[in-house]
Amino acid sequence: MSDDAYDAALDLLRRVNPQNITTNLEKLIALQPSLAEDLLSTVDTPLSIIKDPETGKSFLACDYNRDLDSYRSPWSNQYVPSLEDDDSPFPSKELRELEIKMNDSMDVYRDLYYEGGVSSVYLWDQEDGEGFAGVVLFKKSTENKKAQWDSIHVFEVETIGSQKAKYKVTSTIILDLSTKEKAREIGLAGNLIRQTEKEAEVEGDYGHLINLGTLIEDIESKLRNLLSQVYFDKTRDIIGDARSLSSLKDVASDKALHSEVVKGLQGL
């Protein structure tokens, strides 16, 4: 029964307005609390921004740096709000050093490519003790939050011998655009998910940092181009087909045109 409920919840979330994904997810969890852990780890939602009171820097909150209702800051390595539980998850000392370097590097990348926004990187040890995993997050939004871009890259690093590693990356782009003109409001929202695998040589102390940075930069470039083709070009084609200068007498022609528009929307 739980598997059926889980599949039904995912199917429902795929069909409702993606702009309300966070609200709809909360309502589903309230209806079926037993699905909370599975849904939170599977369904990507727009990232939240939290300010670290110790460093004064902002960081991104997601399920990967959450413990109870607190979120670990990549800058101070402390949970916000603070927790008294000693069992809260933290990366090992070596992994924490790599996490600090990756946050500094991705912060530079964010400034160059996004010209603003917030970035965060979180790493954790694998349960089998081999390799490690992590997530790279980017968020950029306008002042009125009418346009938001969330980029989530979850990766696993599997060591192959002493000088080679395999990188498995699952990337999700969440795009939310809306504009209001007079009494009309137009919204465009959705997400794009892609998986990438690559083997590369690990050279020096910063080998993983260089390999992951290069891979994520390449993935983001490809996803941006793909989003431009899927969302903007397709929307432009639909709007162009919907526009008609024919007279109201051409009812049959209009019906055929409307049918084509519906097919175009279904193909998004």
Side-chain angles (χ1 to χ4, degrees):
M1 177 62 182
S2 59
D3 290 340
D4 293 338
Y6 176 68
D7 293 339
L10 291 180
D11 187 53
L12 179 60
L13 289 172
R14 282 193 292 265
R15 297 173 184 273
V16 295
N17 189 344
Q19 289 181 312
N20 303 324
I21 183 67
T22 303
T23 302
N24 293 330
L25 181 60
E26 292 174 352
K27 291 180 178 179
L28 280 174
I29 292 175
L31 288 172
Q32 194 65 262
S34 62
L35 298 177
E37 184 176 351
D38 291 333
L39 288 176
L40 289 173
S41 62
T42 304
V43 180
D44 291 311
T45 58
L47 302 167
S48 302
I49 300 176
I50 299 176
K51 192 169 185 178
D52 186 342
E54 184 172 328
T55 64
K57 300 181 68 173
S58 298
F59 66 94
L60 296 173
C62 67
D63 192 54
Y64 298 101
N65 67 321
R66 179 176 64 89
D67 187 24
L68 300 178
D69 293 326
S70 296
Y71 297 88
R72 184 172 67 88
S73 167
W75 310 115
S76 64
N77 200 30
Q78 299 298 319
Y79 281 88
V80 182
S82 60
L83 292 173
E84 297 180 358
D85 188 1
D86 295 335
D87 295 331
S88 298
F90 290 93
S92 61
K93 181 180 178 181
E94 295 77 10
L95 210 56
R96 173 58 184 163
E97 293 177 356
L98 178 60
E99 185 181 74
I100 292 173
K101 293 184 178 69
M102 287 194 66
N103 271 285
D104 292 338
S105 300
M106 291 303 168
D107 194 44
V108 174
Y109 171 89
R110 171 204 56 77
D111 186 51
L112 292 173
Y113 281 82
Y114 287 87
E115 298 181 352
V118 182
S119 66
S120 295
V121 180
Y122 303 102
L123 305 180
W124 57 88
D125 299 274
Q126 296 283 52
E127 293 182 358
D128 56 10
E130 296 183 5
F132 63 95
V135 61
V136 178
L137 310 171
F138 300 101
K139 185 179 184 68
K140 176 71 180 292
S141 59
T142 57
E143 292 183 1
N144 56 10
K145 296 185 179 180
K146 286 294 185 180
Q148 298 188 75
W149 169 288
D150 295 87
S151 183
I152 305 169
H153 303 277
V154 183
F155 61 86
E156 293 182 2
V157 180
E158 177 185 346
T159 55
I160 304 175
S162 58
Q163 298 294 329
K164 201 170 185 180
K166 177 187 288 187
Y167 303 92
K168 301 178 182 179
V169 185
T170 300
S171 302
T172 303
I173 302 296
I174 304 175
L175 182 64
D176 186 358
L177 301 174
S178 61
T179 182
K180 192 171 185 179
E181 182 180 352
K182 296 181 180 180
R184 297 179 299 174
E185 185 172 353
I186 301 175
L188 177 65
N191 60 52
L192 186 65
I193 302 175
R194 290 293 183 272
Q195 292 184 323
T196 307
E197 288 191 16
K198 183 180 180 180
E199 293 185 5
E201 298 288 337
V202 182
E203 300 179 357
D205 296 335
Y206 302 100
H208 289 306
L209 173 59
I210 295 172
N211 292 339
L212 284 168
T214 303
L215 183 57
I216 288 174
E217 180 182 14
D218 183 56
I219 291 173
E220 288 221 321
S221 178
K222 291 179 180 178
L223 290 179
R224 274 192 289 264
N225 292 333
L226 189 57
L227 278 171
S228 176
Q229 298 171 6
V230 172
Y231 282 114
F232 302 115
D233 290 350
K234 191 70 175 180
T235 302
R236 188 181 298 111
D237 291 342
I238 293 173
I239 292 175
D241 291 340
R243 239 180 124 254
S244 176
L245 299 177
S246 59
S247 64
L248 296 176
K249 296 180 180 180
D250 300 328
V251 178
S253 177
D254 287 341
K255 286 185 177 180
L257 182 59
H258 293 162
S259 177
E260 292 297 321
V261 172
V262 171
K263 291 179 181 179
L265 287 170
Q266 292 174 341
L268 278 176

